Amino acid sequence: MDAELKDKIPPHNLDAEQATLGALLLNWKAVGDVVTYLRSDNFYDQRNQIIYSAMMNLFTQGVTGDLLTIIDDLTKNGNLEKAGGVGYVSSLTNTVPTSANVDYYAKIVLDQSTRRNLITLASEIKASSFDETKESRKILEDAEQKIFKLTDTNQSAQVYAMNEIVPKTITLIDQRYKNKNALSGIPSGITQLDNMTSGFQNSEMVIVGARPSMGKTALALSMMQHIAIENHIPCGFFSLEMAAEQIGQRLLSQVARIRSTKLRSGMLKLDDFQKLQDAGGACYDAPLWIVDTPNMKLLDLRAVARRMRVNHKVKIIFIDYIGLITSENEEAPVYEQQSAISKSLKSLARELNIPIVVLCQVARTAEGNEPNLSELRGSGSIEQDADMVIFIHGERGKQKSEEEYNPVQDRKLIVAKQRNGPIGDVDVVFISDYTKFENKSVEH
């Protein structure tokens, strides 16, 4: 075939398409496996699309497919001639010697379909790129979304029978019985909180709310220390308020247990340098990626989060904080902007299939009282979209003199909402010297 002509014909493999259909006619039981990842529009030839649709129709009705039932279904729906007639349908079983390789043939059909979709997508991106009315960042966002959607579409759905699920479930329960710390999600490091939540779960958006200066960032960094530095779970952190160097300094203070004021002033003792060196080594090796762009656009945040997921395999993302994310529609009322941002972050958690922990301000009207869901600043949509809402509550430490100074302050984490678990309070301590939260039972 002429090379120039070949370039104009979309990728396809008619032999593989016919072999797939023929193998399914020979072994109808294989339909249950193939249907989990192959759709009719994955076929290039229209005849094959129609025949496969007829197979799916019979499969849905619980009817065993063979030449007679397939031809009957095509006839009833007026599609027999479009499918190539009785002769073409009957010839399919002659194109394949055995049904044993049906999965292999079907994967070839899927691969060729993916290539066609990529070519179509590339054409759409090219056309959009020439459209001066569209912002380049919006074009990038749309392209990334479509590529991720294409990736998700090509994932095979796993179908499990109860005789497979029950033994695995019993094994998991047995493991949790033997190891009380076994969690189904990402551990926060706050033991009582992890017991209530089983860790941060994939696809969930978790809101951490508090009044200003109550330690939202400190709680996030304490959790990140446990997740990324101590347990080496890949983690992403969007710091829209503090520079990356400040985040690094606070993490070093937490890990080395050196007062943050010492690190800022440089008034260090000789033994502090050894602690700092050890902490630096632990932080250096941690799978933690930080973005410190102030007033970051929502589209940019989503794009960077996707790249973190693909390039660094992050398993959890923290965002500090939702009020500093800039909406694309700045003309809209603040309520609508916050609502759109909240829904977008929840959608992002589902798309990336990881937990996203979002920090949020609580209205100052809650000063002195326990915060509640109605006081989340910005939009009622935040409360609605969140799978879990955790508030930080406690009295701020008031230092009257050096003698009265107490670096360990009682705090309470209030789990005010949890879709899939209990709500309640968790007692913790805040160590102001290291701006760090810890379990209350830990000796200080």
Side-chain angles (χ1 to χ4, degrees), residues 187-190 221-235 251 254-257 279 282-283 285-288 436-439:
S188 69
I190 307 297
L221 291 178
S222 300
M223 291 176 173
M224 283 163 49
Q225 177 189 343
H226 181 78
I227 294 167
I229 298 174
E230 296 175 6
N231 288 288
H232 295 276
I233 298 171
C235 177
L251 283 171
Q254 288 183 9
V255 177
R257 302 186 79 80
C283 293
D285 294 330
L288 175 60
K436 175 179 172 58
F437 281 83
E438 288 188 351
N439 294 298

Side-chain angles (χ1 to χ4, degrees), residues 197-216:
T197 64
S198 293
F200 296 131
Q201 304 297 315
N202 287 342
S203 300
E204 290 193 348
M205 181 173 76
V206 180
I207 295 292
V208 175
R211 299 187 303 278
S213 303
M214 280 300 298
K216 294 185 298 298

Side-chain angles (χ1 to χ4, degrees), residues 158-210:
Q158 296 297 315
V159 180
Y160 299 102
M162 285 306 295
N163 60 11
E164 296 175 283
I165 295 172
V166 171
K168 289 181 180 178
T169 306
I170 295 297
T171 300
L172 179 61
I173 294 172
D174 184 58
Q175 288 174 348
R176 289 178 179 172
Y177 172 75
K178 293 176 180 176
N179 179 11
K180 305 300 183 187
N181 295 322
L183 302 172
S184 58
I186 304 291
S188 69
I190 307 297
T191 305
Q192 194 179 345
L193 179 64
D194 289 335
N195 289 340
M196 287 179 65
T197 64
S198 293
F200 296 131
Q201 304 297 315
N202 287 342
S203 300
E204 290 193 348
M205 181 173 76
V206 180
I207 295 292
V208 175

Side-chain angles (χ1 to χ4, degrees), residues 424-437:
D425 298 344
V426 174
D427 292 323
V428 292
V429 291
F430 175 67
I431 309 173
S432 58
D433 280 353
Y434 319 134
T435 56
K436 175 179 172 58
F437 281 83

